[in-house]
Structures are given as C-alpha cells and as structure tokens.
C-alpha cells in the first residue's frame, strides 16, 4: 500500500518540480528501508549498511545540487528524433 501511495506521490511531484530534483528524492526510500528494518523488524544494522546508506545520501545530494533544474517539455516529434540518435541507441543497447 505504501509503495503505491509513494509512486502516486512521485508522479504528482513531477508536476511541481523538474525530474532531476524529484527522482533523487526517491533514493531516500533506501534510507527509510534501513531504519524501518531496524525498528519494525528488529534487524541489526552493520557498518556496511551505514556506509552504503551514507553513500546513497551523498549521491542524492550531489545529483540534486548539480543536476539541470530546467523543466522541459518535448513534443512527440522531438522525442522521436532524440530516440533515433546514436547516443540513445547505444545507451538503450547497453542497458
């Protein structure tokens, strides 16, 4: 239920801010999972868990601080042209 509510809230947030700001905030889900696992499930938190969570937080801060914050809307024609670029095709094949 909470995953569904979070996804709907993320979708709604895209109407108010640039995707480059909204998407990194979703990374805090991993941070929240660490603390919920500790307090609700009684799992132990290791040093590796804390270090990894710290790296996630640093990554979120860096992306939010240095990402392009301009909101852009593309037409279908422009998107089709962008999808046909060699760079995108190479990216899509690698992913």
């Amino acid at each position: 239920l909470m995953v569904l509510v979070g996804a709907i809230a993320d979708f709604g947030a895209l109407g108010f801010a640039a995707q480059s700001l909204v998407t990194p905030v979703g990374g805090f889900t991993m941070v929240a999972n660490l603390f919920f696992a500790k307090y609700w499930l009684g799992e132990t938190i290791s040093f590796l868990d804390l270090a990894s969570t710290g790296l996630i937080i640093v990554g979120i801060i860096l992306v939010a601080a240095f990402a392009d914050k301009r909101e852009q809307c593309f037409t279908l024609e422009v998107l089709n042209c962008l999808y046909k670029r060699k760079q995108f095709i190479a990216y899509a094949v690698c992913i």
Side-chain angles (χ1 to χ4, degrees):
L1 177 63
M2 295 304 290
V3 172
L4 180 64
V5 172
I8 292 170
D10 283 343
F11 184 72
L14 290 172
F16 298 103
Q19 182 180 4
S20 59
L21 291 177
V22 173
T23 305
V25 173
F28 274 110
T29 303
M30 300 306 293
V31 176
N33 286 345
L34 176 78
F35 293 106
F36 289 141
K38 167 73 175 158
Y39 293 109
W40 284 351
L41 303 175
E43 294 186 13
T44 58
I45 298 175
S46 69
F47 174 76
L48 185 60
D49 293 330
L50 290 175
S52 302
T53 302
L55 287 175
I56 291 170
I57 292 171
V58 168
I60 290 168
I61 291 169
L62 288 174
V63 168
F66 296 109
D68 185 12
K69 295 168 185 65
R70 293 177 289 153
E71 293 187 45
Q72 299 176 348
C73 291
F74 296 104
T75 64
L76 185 57
E77 293 80 18
V78 172
L79 285 175
N80 280 330
C81 289
L82 291 172
Y83 290 147
K84 293 176 185 175
R85 293 174 61 188
K86 293 177 190 174
Q87 295 92 333
F88 177 77
I89 294 171
Y91 170 77
V93 167
C94 291
I95 296 290

